Amino acid sequence: MGSILPSVDTYKKPFKTPWIETPLIESASLSRAAGCRIFLKLENVQPSGSFKSRAMGNQILSHLHKPEYANCRVHFYASSGGNAGLAAVCAARSLGYPCTVVVPMSTKPLMIEKLHAAGAADVIRYGETFFEAGSYMRDVIMQNSFGDDEDIAKIALHPFDNEPIWQGNSTIIDELEAQLPPAANNDEEKVYRGRALPLDALLCSVGGGGLLNGLVMGLEKRRSSKHSGSSNNSHFYLDTSSSTESRSTSTSTQPGPIHILAIETAGTDSLAASIANKSLVSLHKITSQATSLGALRVSETTFQYATAPPPGIKVHSAVLSDADAARGVLRLADDERLLVELACGVCVEAAIGDASIAGISKKRKRSADDSHSQKDEGYGDDRWSSMDETDPESEVQDDDVEAKLPALKSKLKQLVPDLNSQSRVVIVVCGGSNVTIGMAGEYRKLLSEGWV
């Protein structure tokens, strides 16, 4: 297939970690809008542009350390044309191994180009869904490539559903432990005592559930090690601690839980549908533009974590529209100069939503002379600025805003109502490569035209 395989001597070298420790920054603008301290975990700066560098990187490492692959050449195969496929190519190439990607026919040309540019051994298009692409990869491509050369180990990579993936994602929690600021005073110390981290809430997007699983596993490991008084430094695939054993850990104190908001877009909401059905269900098709979240069905572990999370964790499911996700993309672009996919922007909007409007106490009546000087530069939600501000009847009074507050609360405030200005919330900025400045401009245009 035109790829160059590494020599057997490559396996004698130690393997480097194919992802990086990412920064955690506190956003003043988003904190002000949300009414709590918003921290951004910048997974968008990973080598592949998303948190998938951890997931696919650790999955690849887990295979490379197996004795059966010690004396043969390896070729990886990934059935994802999205961020998982790109991360697989980047991780494999950084370790010196080839990776072929099989993508559905619907995969955008932008992503095809990025897969080739990242060094994919081959990019093959087949089928309407990732499931069809994956089946074709295993049954046809992997069976027929390289003929009868038994010295080549052909390894299939899953985009979200296996434990090495989750353990790779759990390293986000290991980093947060060192990056979050310590309790500032005795009151904060009391609030966070007994929690896995000095944290109130985490927001993450959910596609197949690999990120959510990793965050829960990481918090569970931290809580277990704290209560046992031990330090666990096994971050990667070698960590085989049992989830069942961790869940059995008991404590005499009852600290408040860390809330995890599992965010989906309408049309990719397989987790929300499963929770409503009280059992795993599959979507008929993906109808959202946030195609990176386009798993027809979440993993069994994701469903179990969402419906029966370990002690010290509470999981909430929330579904927003594509337009909401676009608002989140533009908030990050405008406020933080970060460009991310819809699948990532939806978490920002879940944290902020209409909460920023709640800070309005009264809208100043403007004269006809300056009424043209202010233009809407928001995110397409023009309900306040579109009022006739030269009309005294359009003036918004304090009690008007207070009456509207229940409807204006963000998903974060609705689901975790006890948050205050000092509460700590981390948004996992999962990133993604299927976005351009031109796409963000199109989102802004659609929102200004009333996209909801």
Side-chain angles (χ1 to χ4, degrees), residues 165-195:
I165 283 177
W166 311 334
Q167 289 172 351
N169 290 333
S170 77
T171 60
I172 291 175
I173 299 299
D174 297 318
E175 293 173 16
L176 287 178
E177 180 186 16
Q179 293 173 333
L180 284 167
N185 50 51
N186 289 336
D187 289 338
E188 281 197 354
E189 175 64 32
K190 290 178 182 178
V191 168
Y192 297 124
R193 185 178 300 152
R195 296 190 190 183

Side-chain angles (χ1 to χ4, degrees), residues 243-261:
S243 297
T244 303
E245 291 176 1
S246 298
R247 292 191 191 197
S248 65
T249 304
S250 61
T251 177
S252 58
T253 61
Q254 295 296 328
I258 292 178
H259 299 267
I260 299 182
L261 273 64

Side-chain angles (χ1 to χ4, degrees), residues 350 352-360 383-384 398-417:
I352 310 301
D354 290 322
S356 57
I357 300 177
I360 301 173
R383 288 171 293 175
W384 296 94
D398 292 346
D399 54 353
D400 294 329
V401 174
E402 292 299 321
K404 294 177 181 290
L405 285 182
L408 295 176
K409 284 184 179 179
S410 67
K411 288 289 185 182
L412 175 63
K413 284 295 183 72
Q414 290 175 24
L415 297 170
V416 193

Side-chain angles (χ1 to χ4, degrees), residues 116-354:
H116 282 298
D122 202 356
V123 181
I124 300 164
R125 301 174 69 204
Y126 182 87
E128 295 184 3
T129 67
F130 290 140
F131 177 80
E132 291 179 3
S135 297
Y136 183 73
M137 179 191 79
R138 291 185 297 272
D139 299 340
V140 178
I141 301 301
M142 292 180 66
Q143 296 299 319
N144 297 326
S145 59
F146 302 111
D148 297 327
D149 190 344
E150 297 180 357
D151 191 37
I152 298 176
K154 293 177 279 190
I155 301 176
L157 301 171
H158 198 283
F160 62 84
D161 193 6
N162 68 35
E163 191 157 345
I165 283 177
W166 311 334
Q167 289 172 351
N169 290 333
S170 77
T171 60
I172 291 175
I173 299 299
D174 297 318
E175 293 173 16
L176 287 178
E177 180 186 16
Q179 293 173 333
L180 284 167
N185 50 51
N186 289 336
D187 289 338
E188 281 197 354
E189 175 64 32
K190 290 178 182 178
V191 168
Y192 297 124
R193 185 178 300 152
R195 296 190 190 183
L197 292 174
L199 184 64
D200 295 280
L202 267 166
L203 281 79
C204 71
S205 302
V206 175
L211 178 56
L212 175 64
N213 293 356
L215 296 176
V216 173
M217 288 175 66
L219 289 173
E220 192 176 13
K221 182 178 69 175
R222 288 301 316 141
R223 181 179 178 276
S224 177
S225 65
K226 278 191 173 185
H227 283 285
S228 66
S230 65
S231 176
N232 189 338
N233 293 318
S234 283
H235 299 337
F236 311 135
Y237 79 98
L238 293 175
D239 177 17
T240 56
S241 57
S242 167
S243 297
T244 303
E245 291 176 1
S246 298
R247 292 191 191 197
S248 65
T249 304
S250 61
T251 177
S252 58
T253 61
Q254 295 296 328
I258 292 178
H259 299 267
I260 299 182
L261 273 64
I263 313 299
E264 300 170 288
T265 55
T268 67
D269 48 336
S270 54
L271 176 60
S274 296
I275 293 173
N277 193 61
K278 298 183 179 179
S279 65
L280 272 175
V281 299
S282 298
L283 301 178
H284 295 298
K285 63 179 181 178
I286 301 301
T287 58
S288 168
Q289 293 185 43
T291 54
S292 294
L293 303 181
L296 294 175
R297 178 171 173 160
V298 296
S299 73
E300 173 70 33
T301 299
T302 305
F303 176 70
Q304 293 299 327
Y305 275 147
T307 55
I313 299 172
K314 188 170 183 179
V315 178
H316 309 266
S317 171
V319 180
L320 283 73
S321 69
D322 282 357
D324 289 326
R327 292 186 183 91
V329 168
L330 295 177
R331 288 189 196 276
L332 276 186
D334 291 345
D335 295 349
E336 303 297 336
R337 300 300 184 261
L338 300 174
L339 187 61
V340 299
E341 288 186 6
L342 291 173
C344 181
V346 70
C347 286
V348 176
E349 200 63 12
I352 310 301
D354 290 322

